[in-house]
């Protein structure tokens, strides 16, 4: 797999039926190793190890409804009160991030109301803070590290 713009992490792999799988600590199961999954697993490790978000507040690949359509978000981090702190949209390292990617995460956020957004293809990372009053997002240099407050 491609070297990504994240620190190096240790992962558990297994090979079965000529498919390589990677262990997802959040879902507690092996997932087929596709380029997007490689990015997602690096991002989860980054959020836990570099940004210190507790594993108990992280959710991976769950369904949500947007305009009565079933969609799946990649990563969500909750606040301790159950509100959503951060949504992460992961793309394959083979896919360039463009306005459509931001539109996708903005549509998800209409339902989820996260304070922060992150979009990554493993090579380039973009971070935004929501301004709900002005109905827009502001780009940031990074997302904040975990804080209990």
């Amino acid at each position: 797999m491609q070297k990504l713009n994240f620190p190096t992490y240790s992962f558990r792999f297994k090979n079965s039926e000529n498919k390589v799988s990677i262990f997802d600590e959040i879902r507690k199961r092996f997932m087929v190793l596709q380029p997007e999954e490689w990015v997602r697993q690096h991002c989860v490790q980054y959020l836990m190890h570099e940004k210190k978000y507790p594993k108990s507040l992280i959710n991976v690949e769950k369904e949500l409804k947007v305009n009565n359509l079933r969609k799946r978000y990649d990563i969500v981090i909750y606040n301790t009160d159950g509100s959503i702190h951060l949504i992460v949209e992961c793309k394959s390292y083979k896919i360039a991030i463009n306005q459509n990617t931001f539109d996708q995460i903005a549509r998800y956020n209409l339902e989820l109301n996260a304070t922060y957004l992150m979009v990554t293809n493993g090579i380039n990372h973009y971070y935004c803070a929501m301004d709900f009053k002005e109905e827009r997002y502001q780009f940031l240099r990074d997302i904040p590290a975990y804080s209990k407050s």
Side-chain angles (χ1 to χ4, degrees), residues 19-54:
K19 289 185 182 171
V20 176
S21 296
I22 187 169
F23 189 74
D24 182 320
E25 281 188 57
I26 306 301
R27 291 178 276 187
K28 294 181 175 48
R29 64 180 191 206
F30 282 92
M31 307 302 299
V32 174
L33 184 56
Q34 301 288 343
E36 185 177 317
E37 192 64 43
W38 184 238
V39 172
R40 186 170 23 254
Q41 293 307 317
H42 275 80
C43 192
V44 166
Q45 294 301 311
Y46 171 77
L47 293 167
M48 289 191 309
H49 295 284
E50 312 323 311
K51 294 300 178 178
K52 306 299 183 201
Y53 286 100

Side-chain angles (χ1 to χ4, degrees), residues 64-67 71-79 83-89 100-119 128-133 135-138:
L64 74 149
K65 280 198 172 179
V66 179
N67 298 329
K71 302 289 183 181
R72 292 182 83 76
Y73 60 72
D74 285 304
I75 303 168
V76 162
I77 295 184
Y78 289 93
N79 292 307
S83 63
I84 296 178
H85 180 71
L86 168 71
I87 306 172
V88 182
E89 179 60 30
N100 289 340
T101 312
F102 285 98
D103 291 346
Q104 177 183 2
I105 199 168
R107 279 191 305 274
Y108 290 1
N109 206 34
L110 290 173
E111 295 294 322
L112 300 175
N113 296 314
T115 307
Y116 296 97
L117 309 176
M118 176 180 174
V119 175
C128 304
M130 292 303 302
D131 181 343
F132 291 105
K133 189 174 165 192
E135 295 184 344
R136 62 188 185 97
Y137 48 83
Q138 174 184 344

